[in-house]
Amino acid sequence: MEAKVIYFTVNGRPEQAEFPVNCPAQDVKDLFRSAAEAGPHDILKLYNPKGNIINISPSLEPNSPNLCYKLEVVAADCNSEPLGAELAGALGFDLSSMEKRLQGLEKKILIEAGETPAVVYEMKKQVDSFREKLESVEHLSWLGLFKDLSEGTLKPSPFYHKRTLRKTREECEHVREKFLQMSSLEVSEEVRQYLKTPTFDNCVDVETVSQLSLRIILHYRRWMAVYSLSCVFVCLCRQWEDAEIMVLLQVMYTDLEFITTFNIEPEVLQQFLFEVYRRYNNIPFHNFKHCFCVTQMMYGLIWLTDLRSKMDSVDLLIMLTSAVCHDLDHTGYNNAYQINARTELALRYNDISPLENHHCAVAFEILERTESNVFRNLSLDQYKRIREGIIKCILATDMSRHNEILNKFKSILPTFDFTNKDHRDVLMMILIKVSDISNEARPMEVAEPWLDCLLQEFFNQSDVEKLEGLPVTPFMDRDKVTKPSSQTGFIRFVLMPLFIELANLFPCLEQHIIDPVRKALDYYTEMEKALETEQQNRAQSENAAKNKEVTPAGGRRDSRTDGGPDGGKPAAQ
Ligand SMILES: [Zn+2]
């Protein structure tokens, strides 16, 4: 029979235990107990070389003498009865009598069923694995409580299962109720117009907007609410409530005439929007409010470029719905992480845009249900076209395809033809890409808090990557990135080239999206310079302090090294 040999030390004394692999758990425990010369009620703790407590069981990992475990008798109690009684008193019930009862029941089942039923066997296995988890701390590494880099990338990451980022049922029901109450409100013409502007006038700040006293009057069955227009603005500043955002999304579907053109029932649209809301997670950046920002930008672009006169309503429906669904169930960890950590998503989609494929699949999961299928009254051909379009648009938001899509757009620009389906497809991809990264086209008061959220999400990821020993993306590393440095490069090399090409097709966009982005670039360049100067000053004063320490009292310092009259200039040859 196969035997396991476990090497360990007790009080510094080397010991070894040998037992058959299928030996009962109690025998293994007794073996260790006698090696430690411990009594029947003493508590034993076994530690692995990393210092983690491991379970004393037949499934102990065999080791070698130079990687031996450590056995400790951490508490000795000569008489278990008082302890048991104390525990029973503290817990309000007697553990040993419960254990006896359980054993009796187990025996009864065994007698009646003739063998241990599969379900009991499965439950026992779960209890064992739970006990193992309680006794070892290794599984906590992903919480950041325990640092272990030695495991490398060998373990599939548990992150995809992190449920805490999902919205709770209570949270959803609360928002749903509010939304349903509000959805019968009539949104005023002013708000409708305001929603159509892709960006807000940069000269107008929140106060000025309020001073304009443009008021929206929302009529509700019994009461009347008066909202200032600044609400839309504030909404983008992340303060507007989710239920209100859902009302605004509903307005977009109504005002683009999708409701009438595609015969979308109001309850179905509401259910669809609610499901979308529900499937965006509580994470710093890729949340429901980001979904709204992107959709509102897409909506604004549609109006500003007068796309309604250039493309048919199926295309417009594809674009708006893609924006709404484009980050569904984002977990806050990007594709690089998914792939490196070999998450469920990366395995499912073979490392090909795992996140975008997932967002899209979740969208069609929602649309598969009749009660939330806003396309349920469309013809089969229309549905097919819409599905193809949405997949294309959402998959285009993978930034690793940025150059590919931008180059395609550049190549068709000189002969762009709205009647050409391929041309329209590329334009739709460009429009969702622009909307997705359009925060910098918004006023600084809106854009900057969003950047903070994005950096927070990035830093969360890189911290985890460091803990798990995965490659860390430099632009996500809190030790390498500053706020301005993260933005200047991005605006210069990614955002601007994309926005400029779109403005080449629609010159009217220049003032709405290019100008504000230029201002943002200036702002961050200034910030970057200020930060550099501060760093230089700090380095100089640190150097000066060091030199002071090194220079002997009364010693003469070289004027060339401490920035004397010619200190800054290189010597002439
Ligand atoms: Zn996005």
Side-chain angles (χ1 to χ4, degrees):
M1 191 179 286
E2 214 186 318
K4 266 186 189 176
V5 183
I6 307 289
Y7 297 93
F8 60 98
T9 57
V10 191
N11 297 325
R13 182 179 80 238
E15 287 280 0
Q16 70 182 73
E18 196 170 332
F19 52 85
V21 280
N22 55 356
C23 143
Q26 197 50 49
D27 292 2
V28 179
K29 285 205 168 97
D30 288 342
L31 205 61
F32 279 86
R33 201 172 285 284
S34 65
E37 295 168 359
H41 303 300
D42 287 341
I43 299 165
L44 295 185
K45 283 196 175 176
L46 188 65
Y47 298 88
N48 69 11
K50 285 181 221 147
N52 305 328
I53 294 179
I54 47 175
N55 193 23
I56 302 176
S57 76
S59 57
L60 261 175
E61 206 56 65
N63 57 355
S64 58
N66 55 347
L67 279 173
C68 66
Y69 301 144
K70 197 170 103 187
L71 185 64
E72 260 181 29
V73 183
V74 284
D77 196 296
C78 315
N79 184 358
S80 75
E81 284 320 304
L83 179 72
E86 203 179 294
L87 244 172
L91 296 171
F93 56 82
D94 184 3
L95 268 180
S96 59
S97 72
M98 255 183 106
E99 208 162 348
K100 268 181 211 144
R101 199 168 122 72
L102 208 64
Q103 277 170 358
L105 283 170
E106 260 183 42
K107 216 178 260 174
K108 210 172 155 197
I109 290 175
L110 193 66
I111 292 165
E112 278 174 15
E115 58 174 345
T116 308
V119 58
V120 176
Y121 182 75
E122 192 50 47
M123 278 163 75
K124 283 184 105 166
K125 232 172 76 183
Q126 282 182 14
V127 170
D128 277 349
S129 87
F130 182 61
R131 185 180 305 164
E132 190 118 342
K133 263 192 178 171
L134 282 177
E135 290 177 5
S136 103
V137 288
E138 268 164 307
H139 66 286
L140 295 178
S141 70
W142 61 273
L143 283 175
L145 297 174
F146 172 70
K147 202 165 181 170
D148 182 12
L149 302 178
S150 63
E151 299 276 350
T153 57
L154 295 174
K155 267 195 196 162
S157 163
F159 266 90
Y160 182 57
H161 300 289
K162 224 173 127 188
R163 295 291 174 213
T164 47
L165 44 90
R166 301 264 144 82
K167 292 190 174 97
T168 62
R169 184 192 287 262
E170 295 81 58
E171 193 182 349
C172 290
E173 279 313 311
H174 177 70
V175 172
R176 179 201 183 89
E177 241 169 63
K178 252 183 152 174
F179 169 51
L180 291 181
Q181 276 177 359
M182 295 180 71
S183 60
S184 51
L185 297 173
E186 203 173 290
V187 178
S188 80
E189 191 50 36
E190 284 92 336
V191 166
R192 290 175 184 267
Q193 289 309 322
Y194 204 56
L195 253 187
K196 288 176 186 169
T197 55
T199 55
F200 302 98
D201 188 345
N202 276 353
C203 312
V204 182
D205 58 20
V206 180
E207 278 80 11
T208 329
V209 174
S210 307
Q211 281 159 20
L212 289 176
S213 297
L214 292 169
R215 290 182 171 277
I216 320 158
I217 299 171
L218 301 170
H219 301 275
Y220 184 47
R221 285 181 200 111
R222 274 166 294 164
W223 52 271
M224 198 167 76
V226 183
Y227 282 167
S228 133
L229 262 195
S230 60
C231 285
V232 181
F233 187 94
V234 171
C235 161
L236 289 156
C237 291
R238 308 173 50 76
Q239 287 164 26
W240 213 353
E241 281 188 34
D242 292 334
E244 291 164 310
I245 289 179
M246 282 149 84
V247 173
L248 294 178
L249 291 172
Q250 206 178 9
V251 169
M252 295 181 197
Y253 275 80
T254 313
D255 285 4
L256 282 172
E257 288 170 7
F258 293 157
I259 309 268
T260 44
T261 313
F262 301 106
N263 189 15
I264 302 174
E265 297 96 331
E267 313 77 56
V268 178
L269 178 60
Q270 282 156 12
Q271 187 60 26
F272 169 73
L273 293 174
F274 171 70
E275 285 298 327
V276 165
Y277 155 77
R278 198 172 70 81
R279 301 298 300 268
Y280 272 95
N281 295 321
N282 291 330
I283 52 177
F285 185 86
H286 292 99
N287 49 41
F288 185 57
K289 288 188 171 72
H290 167 69
C291 147
F292 175 71
C293 284
V294 175
T295 310
Q296 194 273 330
M297 180 57 73
M298 177 66 98
Y299 183 70
L301 290 173
I302 290 175
W303 285 103
L304 206 75
T305 56
D306 193 20
L307 274 191
R308 296 211 313 160
S309 67
K310 301 175 178 79
M311 290 162 95
D312 76 353
S313 38
V314 173
D315 279 340
L316 302 182
L317 181 62
I318 290 173
M319 285 193 277
L320 199 77
T321 312
S322 299
V324 169
C325 299
H326 86 284
D327 271 329
L328 275 169
D329 200 32
H330 199 298
T331 54
Y333 296 84
N334 73 2
N335 280 335
Y337 177 85
Q338 306 290 341
I339 294 167
N340 289 330
R342 303 185 197 169
T343 61
E344 247 179 79
L345 286 188
L347 290 177
R348 187 181 307 154
Y349 296 111
N350 304 308
D351 296 351
I352 304 164
S353 306
L355 279 177
E356 291 73 19
N357 269 303
H358 180 60
H359 304 322
C360 202
V362 174
F364 282 97
E365 235 173 67
I366 295 172
L367 291 165
E368 270 304 300
R369 280 189 231 135
T370 323
E371 68 272 18
S372 52
N373 182 2
V374 279
F375 308 137
R376 70 180 189 183
N377 295 327
L378 267 64
S379 69
L380 267 182
D381 279 348
Q382 278 179 322
Y383 185 86
K384 225 174 130 188
R385 201 180 130 197
I386 285 187
R387 177 164 160 82
E388 186 203 308
I390 290 180
I391 293 173
K392 230 177 240 175
C393 281
I394 295 184
L395 292 190
T397 59
D398 181 351
M399 284 305 286
S400 71
R401 294 183 55 205
H402 179 78
N403 287 336
E404 170 215 325
I405 296 168
L406 182 58
N407 287 338
K408 214 182 267 175
F409 186 59
K410 276 186 193 164
S411 72
I412 58 170
L413 251 184
T415 57
F416 195 90
D417 177 6
F418 277 100
T419 61
N420 182 326
K421 185 185 178 289
D422 293 339
H423 288 195
R424 285 199 315 267
D425 279 354
V426 181
L427 174 62
M428 282 154 75
M429 294 198 276
I430 290 287
L431 283 168
I432 195 166
K433 279 175 63 55
V434 166
S435 307
D436 197 15
I437 56 172
S438 62
N439 273 338
E440 290 307 337
R442 298 196 189 274
M444 203 50 76
E445 308 88 281
V446 179
E448 212 176 342
W450 275 108
L451 175 59
D452 293 332
C453 293
L454 184 64
L455 288 176
Q456 194 188 330
E457 208 172 288
F458 282 176
F459 294 161
N460 282 348
Q461 177 180 322
S462 61
D463 288 349
V464 168
E465 285 169 334
K466 287 175 192 173
L467 275 172
E468 296 188 344
L470 297 172
V472 178
T473 317
F475 69 79
M476 293 185 163
D477 192 340
R478 65 171 84 238
D479 300 325
K480 294 191 176 129
V481 151
T482 63
K483 201 155 124 180
S485 72
S486 77
Q487 276 323 77
T488 48
F490 179 71
I491 295 177
R492 241 181 233 129
F493 304 113
V494 181
L495 211 152
M496 229 18 165
L498 174 72
F499 282 29
I500 285 173
E501 293 309 328
L502 184 64
N504 278 339
L505 185 64
F506 301 112
C508 65
L509 290 184
E510 177 89 25
Q511 67 175 108
H512 294 281
I513 60 169
I514 309 274
D515 290 350
V517 171
R518 280 211 181 98
K519 276 186 194 155
L521 182 58
D522 289 345
Y523 173 80
Y524 287 116
T525 311
E526 282 302 310
M527 200 194 271
E528 199 174 15
K529 270 190 209 152
L531 215 71
E532 268 170 29
T533 318
E534 199 198 309
Q535 274 169 350
Q536 277 169 1
N537 289 344
R538 203 181 302 151
Q540 266 174 5
S541 58
E542 274 171 19
N543 273 347
K546 254 188 219 162
N547 285 345
K548 234 180 193 171
E549 276 170 30
V550 173
T551 314
R556 194 172 159 273
R557 290 165 76 194
D558 189 342
S559 68
R560 277 170 301 175
T561 55
D562 71 0
D566 299 311
K569 292 179 196 161
Q573 292 297 309

